[in-house]
Amino acid sequence: MLKPGGEPRAQRLLAAVGPDPGPRATAEALLMASLPTDPEGRTFHLLHSSYAILSVTDEALAAQPFTDDPDAAEDALTGLVERGQEAGPADPAVDARAEAIGLLAMVATMGTSVLVGQRSTDSAVAVLRHHLDRIFGGAEGGGAAAG
């Protein structure tokens, strides 16, 4: 789902940040890639959610791997938080893995809330940035574009 170099949408969002994004900007781009902020993101979220729901009720589908590397996004975000902790902007007291898990779960759920009209894309992006600011201590390098 989300891994550096593995998803064209994430790569485009990351490229929009600049040539040398720090860990916060990279994390934001990776997470933004799965929010339905535009038609491509909406399609991504619908397909991902549909597959997940179908795999619960279809034994043949459930027997197939959901992704090639199910922990790739979690590992990538954990590494970014750890890099931020080492470089100084991220809170050294946070549990990097727990934060990565929470960010991924939050973005998945917020994506659904955007699709069903409970939340606007602007609101979802603001909430994501709020949590990234809490972890990383504020925006670095501007942040990824919202679409």
Side-chain angles (χ1 to χ4, degrees), residues 42-142:
R42 181 179 172 80
T43 298
F44 172 85
H45 193 83
L46 285 169
L47 288 172
H48 191 268
S49 298
S50 296
Y51 184 89
I53 291 167
L54 285 173
S55 70
V56 172
T57 58
D58 184 319
E59 289 183 25
L61 193 56
Q64 303 299 313
F66 190 56
T67 64
D68 291 337
D69 186 357
D71 295 326
E74 183 180 316
D75 292 343
L77 286 170
T78 298
L80 290 167
V81 174
E82 290 170 344
R83 275 185 41 213
Q85 289 172 317
E86 292 165 7
D91 181 352
V94 302
D95 179 327
R97 175 115 358 225
E99 294 295 346
I101 293 167
L103 287 167
L104 289 166
M106 178 187 63
V107 168
T109 303
M110 278 197 312
T112 300
S113 71
V114 168
L115 289 176
V116 300
Q118 176 189 12
R119 177 164 321 288
S120 70
T121 56
D122 289 344
S123 172
V125 170
V127 170
L128 170 60
R129 289 180 175 157
H130 168 81
H131 285 277
L132 289 171
D133 287 348
R134 180 183 55 76
I135 296 165
F136 288 97
E140 105 200 321

